[in-house]
Amino acid sequence: MQLPPTTWHEQTTAQALTLLRSGEGGLTSAEASRRLLEGGRNELAATPPPHPLALFAAQFRSVMVALLVASALLSGLVGEWVDAAAIVGIVLLNALLGAWQEYGAERSIAALRRMTAPRARVVRDGVTALLAAAELVPGDVVLLEAGDLVPADARLLSAAALRCVESALTGESEAVEKQVAALPVAAPSAATVPLGDRRNLVFLGTAVAAGTARAVVCATGAASEMGRVATLLDAAAQEQTTPLQRRLDALGRVLVFGALAIVALLFVVGWLRGTPLIDQLLLSVSLAVAAVPEGLPAVITIALSVGVLRMSRRHALVRKLPAVETLGSTTVICTDKTGTLTLGRMEVLELVPAEVASGGAGKEAGGTLATAFAAACDAQLGTAADGGDAIGDPTEVALLLAARAAGEERSAIEARWPRLRDLPFDPQRRLMSVVRRLPDGRRRLFVKGGPDELLGRCVTSAASAAQVRVDVAALASRGLRVLAAGQRDLEDGESLDSPAEQLESRLVFTGLAAMRDPPRPGVAAAIASCRAAGIRVAMITGDHASTALAIAREIGIAATDDLAIHGADLDLLDDAALDARLDHAAVFARVAPEHKLRIVRAWKRRGEIVAMTGDGVNDAPALRAADVGIAMGLGGTEVAKEAAHVVLADDRFETIVAAVEEGRGIWDNLKKTLGFLFASNTGEVLFVAGCVFAGYPTPLLPIHLLWINLVTDGLPAICLAIEPIERDVMRRPPRDPRVPLADGPFVRGVLAMGAVSAAVAFAVWLLALKDEPLADARTHAFSFLVFDQLFRSLGARSRDRTVPELGLFTNPRLAWVVALSLLLQFVGPAWPPFARLLRVTPFEWREGLLLLAAGALPVTLLELSKLFRRAVSRRRESTR
């Protein structure tokens, strides 16, 4: 029975009623009940939040976690129950932390349902009744008035000065003037008419700002435009992985294949040598434990959690942990205009009074331009003390605020000049008028409306009218909306009941008001910071192209020669053509929700890491599809907040820049931490494998390696991951999202440090094995590796700056962890519980000092390499 939603605006009222098998008197109760059973209730399908157990299970999908679980199983098979229990405990703790962060994050559809109107005035059986909006069906006739939420998508049958605020659906802050007449058929298809231009339709979840209307319901529930947004949101909700997750999974696969290759090779060596099977299994467990940094998932989770805390202090609330790092990877920010770059409300920017002859009406009582505009308004403001909470059309609210700034309150105007007659705004006249009685008894007509329409009714010279039109064109070219004001005193005996065309004639032109939705303070500087950081900013808005482009040029998003791409043009472009235009696109205007989603996906096809900001229902699908969705916390809808990964507590674009800075700093720290951990594990693997290939006994037991990876590596790694952010992170270009985590410099550094550690460890092992029992030799090798990695954590804080340059106590947590761990490892073997747990033997203090000296050797070489690289770099610069 229903037509596709893009064609209702082309139907006349009679055609719409015929197609819906309805009439001016609405449906009968019996027919409405039948349609309700057939088509379902006027509500959006609820999607239950994910079960906590499902979220917990989802934490085990990464390759790294799978590798840890395999290590635990293998440890249990050979009887290393302490090792197995420790690994399982780490995995469970990490899963609990991740599930806790994500619980309750999937309620977007429920938020959409809360936005629908709960009650509606419906004509049933020829009688007006108040019914639950969920019971509406296509064909129902509904009545609307100012302050109502529209209960369903509907085709207007009649309207009087109807204006609707549709910003939550279209992104346009200005109230839309509605009409009843059918729109002409668009070419090449009806789908090219933007949602905001379908002026003979009203939409579910939008608000009536002014006027009254009668409309026939043409779409309910999932078939409505709000329902289409819910469908897009559901489609965009497919699980996505972040850049960090993808990089860690890739690294995990390398670890898996590397560990399997080494184990297989050593199995072959052991088999050829006739090594007993149990010894081979023990060796396999040792290598598996050495290859896998057991503490890595917990370190990453803790590092991201600390990042969440830091961002919250800067007013960015992170709902999913991986989004912290993803922000730092961002290469493109697709931002909504209304409420994000702008304040989301109209503001009078300029008042241009007319030159009025001496003694004219404009010179008389209350004749300021701001007062003249306010006298022709219906909106209402709160008191000055409560900040001016407003009810009514946003344009009129802006005019009343301008009058308030000039010292004139609407309540004072109403008391001083009582209303005698209102002539509501009409789309055909494009004027609104109010007749008021002045204190001296005269009746004055105040008029506001479109400049062309009002000038045509003024007693103004041709030269003056031409100058006004020049002024209007100049203001409009800046993306401003322009209104004109006029007035005249009614003659004695002139009837107030005269037609509007007669009353609104022979006017005296009083001036112009230019208004816009102004940019947020500080947003231009924030966009400049993004450019300095190499981040592309693109505006995606439902507003008009001229307005959007003017704002974009003012705040630095668009250059003088940039043009806006219209939503209708996007419908004519295939994916390849759209991708080709992205390099030169700074503004996308008059776009629908599916356009925003398509633009985000186009950027992602090019390998960009995309952040999408927004506050309205229309932004939710793109927020969900982006690598990072960023919603406005103060002015944003619940739908946008639930769809986003990050919520800005202060709605400031500058907070996005602060969040990106934090994300980049977190990535720097994570990469330092990963380099430290993998260099340590590489040294352990090379050491153990080298001893086995050389025919020596296994130098380290699984419990030794587990202690190193969890305590000696793990605690310093956590301190490295929360290192203070370096000052120049926002002066670097974004990381190339195609470059793997383990790139060339990373791998070379890891292999070099691992090789140095393994070589020194092998020397310590040989010297100890020569004169000491096997248990003592293992204690010496184990202690050396602990000392080595604790010292190296101090040097891992920076790739270029040395430990003395950084200062030992600029990261006090790390300094304390290293000091206490060194003390524990030095005296621990003499304490029986420690010795039994780790299977070590006591050593003399002289041996301990020698082991400490050996442990400091690798970090000394690391520090010398920093000085050497700097010297080479300075020499190259001096020869240029």
Side-chain angles (χ1 to χ4, degrees):
M1 181 182 69
Q2 294 186 6
L3 290 177
T6 53
T7 65
W8 285 109
H9 55 277
E10 296 177 354
Q11 313 302 315
T12 65
T13 57
Q15 288 172 330
L17 289 170
T18 299
L19 288 166
L20 291 164
R21 298 201 302 273
S22 183
E24 292 285 352
L27 302 174
T28 64
S29 297
E31 175 63 14
S33 298
R34 188 191 68 78
R35 294 187 184 189
L36 188 63
L37 288 174
E38 180 185 281
R41 292 171 65 82
N42 178 32
E43 55 191 12
L44 303 178
T47 301
H51 195 278
L53 290 178
L55 288 175
F56 181 74
Q59 308 303 314
F60 294 88
R61 294 176 185 168
S62 79
V63 175
M64 190 71 71
V65 171
L67 191 56
L68 288 175
V69 171
S71 297
L73 291 175
L74 196 55
S75 298
L77 286 175
V78 298
E80 298 290 343
W81 297 108
V82 174
D83 301 11
I87 296 173
V88 169
I90 292 165
V91 171
L92 291 176
L93 177 62
N94 186 66
L96 285 170
L97 286 172
W100 177 260
Q101 287 287 334
E102 296 181 12
Y103 180 64
E106 307 298 329
R107 298 188 299 270
S108 297
I109 305 301
L112 274 168
R113 294 179 69 221
R114 290 195 294 271
M115 290 190 64
T116 58
R119 309 284 286 178
R121 284 175 295 129
V122 188
V123 179
R124 290 268 178 92
D125 301 310
V127 178
T128 301
L130 190 64
L131 299 178
E135 297 177 12
L136 291 180
V137 296
D140 264 328
V141 173
V142 295
L143 305 179
L144 301 171
E145 62 183 25
D148 286 347
L149 285 179
V150 178
D153 288 6
R155 172 66 167 88
L156 291 174
L157 300 176
S158 62
L162 184 68
R163 282 174 284 174
C164 294
V165 178
E166 299 175 346
S167 57
L169 190 59
T170 67
E172 186 174 354
S173 56
E174 186 178 327
V176 179
E177 301 163 2
K178 295 296 183 176
Q179 67 181 58
V180 174
L183 300 180
V185 176
S189 70
T192 60
V193 178
L195 197 65
D197 290 340
R198 299 173 198 168
R199 295 180 179 267
N200 52 12
L201 299 179
V202 289
F203 302 104
L204 170 67
T206 61
V208 179
T212 59
R214 189 182 187 95
V216 59
V217 173
C218 57
T220 59
S224 67
E225 290 295 333
M226 189 74 77
R228 291 177 62 244
V229 173
T231 302
L232 289 171
L233 184 58
D234 194 43
Q238 302 302 317
E239 185 171 347
Q240 303 176 66
T241 57
T242 69
L244 179 61
Q245 290 169 323
R246 292 193 290 269
R247 288 182 171 106
L248 288 176
D249 280 347
L251 194 60
R253 285 190 289 271
V254 172
L255 285 175
V256 168
F257 292 127
L260 289 176
I262 294 173
V263 169
L265 182 59
L266 291 180
F267 250 89
V268 172
V269 172
W271 176 71
L272 292 174
R273 290 178 174 170
T275 306
L277 180 61
I278 188 65
D279 291 343
Q280 291 193 46
L281 285 174
L282 186 61
L283 176 62
S284 299
V285 171
S286 297
L287 283 173
V289 172
V292 181
E294 285 82 4
L296 180 59
V299 167
I300 292 172
T301 301
I302 291 169
L304 295 179
S305 298
V306 171
V308 168
L309 179 61
R310 284 179 176 175
M311 287 188 180
S312 69
R313 291 170 180 164
R314 302 180 76 170
H315 308 294
L317 309 178
V318 178
R319 300 178 61 242
K320 293 194 175 183
L321 279 182
V324 177
E325 183 276 332
T326 310
L327 267 172
S329 308
T330 299
T331 58
V332 174
I333 297 177
C334 295
T335 174
D336 184 39
K337 178 184 75 69
T338 303
T340 305
L341 298 175
T342 65
L343 293 173
R345 57 177 172 80
M346 298 301 289
E347 179 182 88
V348 174
L349 190 67
E350 195 168 338
L351 289 169
V352 184
E355 294 293 334
V356 182
S358 179
K363 294 279 188 180
E364 298 182 12
T368 68
L369 183 54
T371 303
F373 272 112
C377 288
D378 283 330
Q380 296 182 18
L381 299 180
T383 63
D386 64 20
D389 291 339
I391 300 174
D393 180 85
T395 297
E396 291 196 344
V397 169
L399 292 170
L400 292 180
L401 288 172
R404 172 177 285 177
E408 189 73 80
E409 292 285 344
R410 180 182 185 273
S411 57
I413 295 174
E414 296 293 336
R416 189 166 69 249
W417 303 335
R419 290 181 181 231
L420 300 178
R421 183 186 175 186
D422 291 343
L423 285 79
F425 181 87
D426 186 304
Q428 304 302 320
R429 296 172 19 248
R430 296 189 60 80
L431 298 172
M432 176 195 174
S433 302
V434 176
V435 181
R436 296 182 179 275
R437 184 177 299 281
L438 301 186
D440 60 6
R442 285 177 297 163
R443 299 171 300 167
R444 177 166 296 165
L445 177 76
F446 294 91
V447 188
K448 74 175 190 304
D452 288 338
E453 288 76 11
L454 190 137
L455 276 176
R457 299 168 183 261
C458 287
V459 287
T460 307
S461 69
S464 298
Q467 182 57 51
V468 171
R469 291 188 172 92
V470 169
D471 292 340
V472 170
L475 294 169
S477 67
R478 293 160 50 192
L480 304 178
R481 186 190 180 203
V482 184
L483 287 183
Q487 59 191 50
R488 78 174 179 93
D489 289 344
L490 303 188
E491 297 174 357
D492 293 339
E494 189 172 357
S495 173
L496 289 176
D497 296 326
S498 301
E501 290 74 12
Q502 181 177 330
L503 289 174
E504 296 170 339
S505 62
R506 295 172 287 124
L507 300 175
V508 175
F509 177 75
T510 53
L512 303 172
M515 61 188 67
R516 63 167 179 174
D517 183 3
R520 288 184 173 275
V523 74
I527 289 171
S529 296
C530 288
R531 289 187 175 276
I535 299 172
R536 177 80 176 270
V537 181
M539 180 192 290
I540 306 177
T541 177
D543 214 338
H544 292 282
S546 59
T547 302
L549 194 56
I551 291 287
R553 287 172 175 164
E554 179 179 350
I555 61 180
I557 287 180
T560 305
D561 55 348
D562 283 337
L563 298 176
I565 297 180
H566 198 279
D569 297 329
L570 287 174
D571 291 320
L572 305 178
L573 299 174
D574 59 20
D575 286 347
L578 174 58
D579 293 352
R581 299 183 103 182
L582 288 179
D583 285 332
H584 306 288
V587 175
F588 298 86
R590 299 303 277 170
V591 295
E594 57 267 27
H595 292 145
K596 297 185 179 186
L597 189 59
R598 189 179 172 209
I599 293 165
V600 168
R601 287 172 172 167
W603 282 113
K604 292 178 71 174
R605 277 196 304 273
R606 294 173 50 137
E608 305 288 353
I609 305 300
V610 183
M612 170 73 191
T613 73
D615 60 351
V617 174
N618 61 316
D619 299 319
L623 290 173
R624 180 66 60 82
D627 293 295
V628 185
I630 305 172
M632 302 297 115
L634 295 178
T637 62
E638 286 302 311
V639 182
K641 295 175 192 175
E642 292 298 333
H645 306 89
V646 178
V647 178
L648 303 184
D650 57 3
D651 285 13
R652 298 174 64 198
F653 193 85
E654 306 96 288
T655 303
I656 299 172
V657 180
V660 169
E661 181 182 14
E662 292 287 349
R664 288 189 173 191
I666 289 167
W667 170 255
D668 277 359
N669 290 342
L670 281 177
K671 191 151 187 178
K672 296 172 191 173
T673 305
L674 292 171
F676 165 69
L677 288 175
F678 283 113
S680 301
N681 284 65
T682 299
E684 295 162 22
V685 169
L686 291 176
F687 173 45
V688 173
C691 290
V692 173
F693 281 123
Y696 292 101
T698 304
L700 298 170
L701 299 175
I703 190 63
H704 296 156
L705 294 164
L706 195 62
W707 177 267
I708 292 171
N709 289 352
L710 292 183
V711 180
T712 308
D713 288 355
L715 294 178
I718 292 172
C719 297
L720 285 173
I722 57 177
E723 179 85 9
I725 295 174
E726 296 184 25
R727 294 184 296 271
D728 66 340
V729 291
M730 289 303 286
R731 294 193 292 272
R732 309 174 195 164
R735 301 190 308 276
D736 187 339
R738 295 163 294 187
V739 174
L741 188 153
D743 57 6
F746 180 90
V747 172
R748 287 192 294 272
V750 164
L751 291 177
M753 286 311 305
V756 170
S757 295
V760 179
F762 193 70
V764 170
W765 164 253
L766 288 180
L767 290 172
L769 196 61
K770 180 179 179 181
D771 301 319
E772 305 283 349
L774 179 59
D776 291 351
R778 280 177 171 163
T779 299
H780 286 193
F782 168 51
S783 297
F784 160 76
L785 285 174
V786 170
F787 296 149
D788 162 42
Q789 292 171 24
L790 288 172
F791 284 133
R792 243 182 336 101
S793 69
L794 298 173
R797 293 175 57 196
S798 174
R799 187 176 182 275
D800 302 310
R801 300 171 67 192
T802 63
V803 173
E805 291 169 340
L806 290 168
L808 276 175
F809 294 100
T810 50
N811 188 334
R813 296 182 184 87
L814 180 60
W816 279 109
V817 164
V818 169
L820 293 175
S821 299
L822 286 172
L823 179 63
L824 178 62
Q825 191 67 32
F826 195 89
V827 302
W831 184 39
F834 184 91
R836 283 195 300 271
L837 175 65
L838 297 181
R839 304 179 195 178
V840 293
T841 59
F843 50 73
E844 295 182 359
W845 67 270
R846 293 183 184 85
E847 294 175 313
L849 291 177
L850 290 173
L851 290 172
L852 278 172
L857 181 58
V859 73
T860 301
L861 296 176
L862 173 64
E863 297 298 276
L864 291 173
S865 71
K866 294 177 184 177
L867 296 174
F868 177 75
R869 284 198 307 270
R870 283 219 305 255
V872 171
S873 177
R874 283 197 295 265
R875 186 175 302 169
R876 287 176 179 171
E877 290 178 0
S878 64
T879 57
R880 288 179 182 173

